[in-house]
Amino acid sequence: MELIAADNYRQGCIGAAEVRQMLNFSSRWETYDFLKREKAYLPYTEDDLEQDVKAYSDQHC
């Protein structure tokens, strides 16, 4: 079940909350520790970064 949860998270099919629910973790921190151990990171491109920087700049200037 852990492999399925990690793989689905990597693919963006489910979020951390769903991982937590699937694996019955008691906290989000336990979920984040699990995802880190499994090297289950969401894809984050340079374009994503540029959009985030622009959105932040638009909100804080």
Side-chain angles (χ1 to χ4, degrees):
M1 186 63 88
E2 289 182 351
L3 292 175
I4 292 169
D7 190 48
N8 280 311
Y9 181 82
R10 274 187 208 100
Q11 294 177 32
C13 298
I14 62 173
E18 288 85 5
V19 171
R20 179 180 176 185
Q21 187 175 32
M22 284 177 70
L23 301 179
N24 295 317
F25 289 142
S26 60
S27 71
R28 66 180 169 177
W29 305 115
E30 186 178 3
T31 305
Y32 296 150
D33 286 342
F34 163 76
L35 293 169
K36 185 177 177 181
R37 272 195 321 273
E38 293 297 316
K39 296 180 174 61
Y41 308 113
L42 291 175
Y44 191 76
T45 66
E46 198 169 317
D47 288 337
D48 295 329
L49 176 61
E50 289 175 14
Q51 289 176 0
D52 288 346
V53 168
K54 183 178 180 336
Y56 180 82
S57 296
D58 291 346
Q59 292 176 0
H60 294 91
C61 290

